[in-house]
Amino acid sequence: TSSDISSTTMFKGANFQRYQQSKLANVVFTYALHERLQRRGSNGKSLVAHPGVANTQLSSGTVAAGGAEDLAKAPKWISGMVIGFIGQSEEDATVGILRQACDPDAKSGEFYGPLGQGGGTGKFDSTEYNGPVGILKPEPFADSEAQQVLWSMSEKVTQFRFPV
């Protein structure tokens, strides 16, 4: 069943792992920016969203490039069918992104995406692949230590001190 599909049972491969890490980094950086904006008394908002799973060129390209070793061995139509079964349309995947960008009631630091059963508990929940969008619970891996490490490393790598 789709509830048995996770990054530990499917979608194994370096490309998907890097993709997941980059998405987590987006959340961590968003939270870090939010904290800095709040300390400065800024009215600016730092928001983040994830689309869930959608059968897009990104997913099919990642599979084709060897990013999902298990699916890469199957015919292309099978990997597309698997992603289509557990995911949603490209249009539906934009809902969280559009909501966080356009909702006048969106508050800085909020994380939007498919709610699943628990609304982003940090535990695997395949129902977060698609479905109704809302404000997710704070990402537990994006704690203050992770925020400080990522912020510092971002400034070091870009050789730019962010003025917030």
Side-chain angles (χ1 to χ4, degrees), residues 11 13 18 36-37 42 53-54 65 70 86 99 104 110 134 143 161:
F11 306 112
R18 283 189 293 272
R36 284 160 176 79
L37 291 171
S42 173
V53 174
D70 44 0
I86 64 171
R99 181 164 171 206
E110 292 179 334
D143 61 18
R161 183 160 169 77

Side-chain angles (χ1 to χ4, degrees), residues 112-126:
Y112 288 82
L115 293 169
Q117 296 174 3
T121 61
K123 296 181 180 174
F124 174 69
D125 177 3
S126 66

Side-chain angles (χ1 to χ4, degrees), residues 6-20 57-74 79 83:
S6 75
S7 60
T8 60
T9 60
M10 286 191 72
F11 306 112
K12 294 178 183 177
N15 289 353
F16 267 110
Q17 289 171 350
R18 283 189 293 272
Y19 178 76
Q20 292 166 348
Q57 290 181 335
L58 175 64
S59 57
S60 60
T62 301
V63 170
E69 297 157 3
D70 44 0
L71 288 180
K73 296 173 187 170
S79 62
I83 293 170

Side-chain angles (χ1 to χ4, degrees), residues 33-48:
L33 178 58
H34 164 72
E35 291 300 323
R36 284 160 176 79
L37 291 171
Q38 294 300 298
R39 283 197 299 260
R40 289 186 74 133
S42 173
N43 290 329
K45 294 180 183 180
S46 178
L47 300 158
V48 66

Side-chain angles (χ1 to χ4, degrees), residues 4 23 26 28 32 38 44 62 77-78 87 96 112 119 123 126 152 157:
D4 298 328
K23 298 299 105 185
N26 287 341
V28 173
Q38 294 300 298
T62 301
W77 66 270
I78 289 180
Y112 288 82
K123 296 181 180 174
S126 66
S152 296
V157 169

Side-chain angles (χ1 to χ4, degrees), residues 63-163:
V63 170
E69 297 157 3
D70 44 0
L71 288 180
K73 296 173 187 170
K76 186 177 180 178
W77 66 270
I78 289 180
S79 62
M81 187 172 68
V82 168
I83 293 170
F85 173 69
I86 64 171
Q88 59 192 335
S89 71
E90 289 181 64
E91 294 81 8
D92 287 343
T94 66
V95 172
I97 298 163
L98 289 171
R99 181 164 171 206
Q100 62 94 33
C102 300
D103 185 347
D105 294 327
K107 294 176 182 56
S108 185
E110 292 179 334
F111 182 15
Y112 288 82
L115 293 169
Q117 296 174 3
T121 61
K123 296 181 180 174
F124 174 69
D125 177 3
S126 66
T127 62
E128 290 178 23
Y129 288 164
N130 58 47
V133 166
I135 301 168
L136 301 174
K137 294 176 183 172
E139 171 56 55
F141 293 115
D143 61 18
S144 59
E145 181 182 0
Q147 292 173 36
Q148 183 56 45
V149 168
L150 181 62
W151 192 272
S152 296
M153 186 56 68
S154 297
E155 288 185 330
K156 180 180 177 181
V157 169
T158 61
Q159 299 179 354
F160 181 79
R161 183 160 169 77
F162 305 122

